[in-house]
Amino acid sequence: MSNVLEVNDVHVAFGGLKAIDGCSFTVEKGTITALIGPNGAGKSTMVGSIAGAVSITSGSIIFDGNNISGLPTYKRAQGGLIRTYQISREFGGMTVLENLLVVRLGQSGESLINAVFRPKKSKDETNQLVAEANDILNTFGLYRLRNEYASNLSGGQKRLLELSRAVMAKPKMLLLDEPMAGVTPALIEILGQHLLELNRSTGMSMLLVEHNLEVVDKICSRVVVMAVGKRLAEGTLGELRQNRDVVEAYLGGEVHERVGG
Ligand SMILES: Nc1ncnc2c1ncn2[C@@H]1O[C@H](COP(=O)(O)OP(=O)(O)OP(=O)(O)O)[C@@H](O)[C@H]1O
Ligand SMILES: [Mg+2]
């Protein structure tokens, strides 16, 4: 199977601090791959580098066969690489439905021309978009809140909205930085299932930064472990639980219990 993403010997420095210090790994097309590791390991910096928000000092990032290392964020997004943030970034002054619509209305430069010169075509397209958006909101359990202002949503609902917006962009690959943070346990379970279903039904690849290993265990086929800016190990979670370096750096007590018991 081919790789949707290849990270080759990437370095990122913030002043004197080497946040990423020669990290390489791959993500196979169509998989949900986890990126785990202790606080400050460089996971969010890695996601930022892949998305284009953080400039890399050296190395390369290959997405879908193309070297995207120097491309700005919006070009990567246009190419099908979409991220979500550790902290949700919805438009509070828009409704939930509008938050989804702007994702795609902004994508087609033709929208405005159509609206002015071909109002019928524009209306059909908008109806089509609304239908798609409602479908996604239904999947993520937000349909009944579609006319609510995004600012009125709970933390967990904002997470769902952030994911819905990402899916609305029809990405080839989703970069998810702790999508379960601040979400209740019941919702974590549901969110995980939604991501898995999405992956299975569309083949959408995902890189998931996640501290919740139960979620990783349920939905990720492979796991990359980062520590102090490097790739420490890679494998299934089961394999990593047997890996002494990984246990010492990150998995700690959780593993001793499971391996021992
Ligand atoms: N914009 C920045 N400027 C300076 N240092 C930064 C910046 N962003 C991250 N760092 C530092 O880079 C290192 C890696 O941080 P990063 O946020 O990537 O870790 P992380 O693995 O995502 O951690 P967490 O699990 O806590 O989210 C840390 O030492 C952090 O303090
Ligand atoms: Mg982080």
Side-chain angles (χ1 to χ4, degrees):
M1 210 189 264
S2 60
N3 294 324
V4 66
L5 182 77
E6 294 176 14
V7 172
N8 301 313
D9 197 23
V10 164
H11 289 73
V12 174
F14 296 115
L17 178 92
K18 292 176 179 172
I20 300 183
D21 192 16
C23 186
S24 306
F25 65 90
T26 58
V27 174
E28 261 182 31
K29 206 170 262 182
T31 64
I32 309 183
T33 295
L35 184 60
I36 68 171
N39 295 119
K43 305 181 296 297
S44 293
T45 307
M46 179 55 79
V47 168
S49 308
I50 299 167
V54 174
S55 304
I56 61 176
T57 326
S58 64
S60 67
I61 296 168
I62 314 294
F63 171 65
D64 207 21
N66 301 308
N67 188 338
I68 59 164
S69 310
L71 289 185
T73 306
Y74 77 94
K75 289 252 167 151
R76 299 186 199 200
Q78 280 173 354
L81 185 56
I82 298 282
R83 80 180 292 191
T84 67
Y85 292 85
Q86 204 164 344
I87 297 162
S88 302
R89 296 190 177 185
E90 70 292 333
F91 295 113
M94 287 186 192
T95 67
V96 165
L97 177 61
E98 286 164 350
N99 260 276
L100 264 68
L101 296 180
V102 290
V103 171
R104 289 267 284 286
L105 284 174
Q107 255 177 24
S108 139
E110 269 197 289
S111 298
L112 185 62
I113 296 168
N114 280 340
V116 176
F117 297 107
R118 280 171 283 177
K120 166 83 171 68
K121 180 167 188 271
S122 178
K123 193 152 184 272
D124 289 348
E125 275 177 12
T126 308
N127 287 342
Q128 168 66 27
L129 279 186
V130 169
E132 271 183 58
N134 280 334
D135 216 32
I136 293 170
L137 290 174
N138 200 25
T139 305
F140 285 93
L142 288 176
Y143 182 73
R144 69 187 169 85
L145 295 168
R146 67 194 179 285
N147 294 321
E148 191 64 65
Y149 281 111
S151 54
N152 293 339
L153 300 185
S154 72
Q157 289 164 341
K158 284 180 181 174
R159 289 264 135 203
L160 293 171
L161 176 57
E162 170 111 1
L163 274 172
S164 305
R165 297 189 71 219
V167 171
M168 188 71 188
K170 289 193 180 168
K172 287 180 194 151
M173 181 173 197
L174 259 185
L175 304 169
L176 303 157
D177 195 354
E178 298 197 36
M180 317 289 179
V183 172
T184 59
L187 202 50
I188 287 178
E189 174 80 29
I190 294 168
L191 252 175
Q193 283 310 316
H194 284 329
L195 291 178
L196 195 56
E197 270 166 36
L198 194 64
N199 165 259
R200 286 186 179 156
S201 62
T202 66
M204 191 185 293
S205 312
M206 303 183 197
L207 182 66
L208 173 69
V209 175
E210 187 52 62
H211 283 291
N212 184 328
L213 295 183
E214 257 178 59
V215 172
V216 170
D217 209 11
K218 274 198 187 130
I219 74 172
C220 301
S221 51
R222 282 198 87 66
V223 180
V224 176
V225 188
M226 275 186 82
V228 286
K230 293 183 166 71
R231 189 200 66 171
L232 179 67
E234 196 173 333
T236 64
L237 196 56
E239 286 161 4
L240 295 171
R241 285 188 167 125
Q242 315 288 334
N243 182 318
R244 182 175 292 269
D245 292 341
V246 175
V247 172
E248 278 173 12
Y250 184 56
L251 296 175
E254 192 247 11
V255 179
H256 288 292
E257 278 164 35
R258 299 212 184 172
V259 170

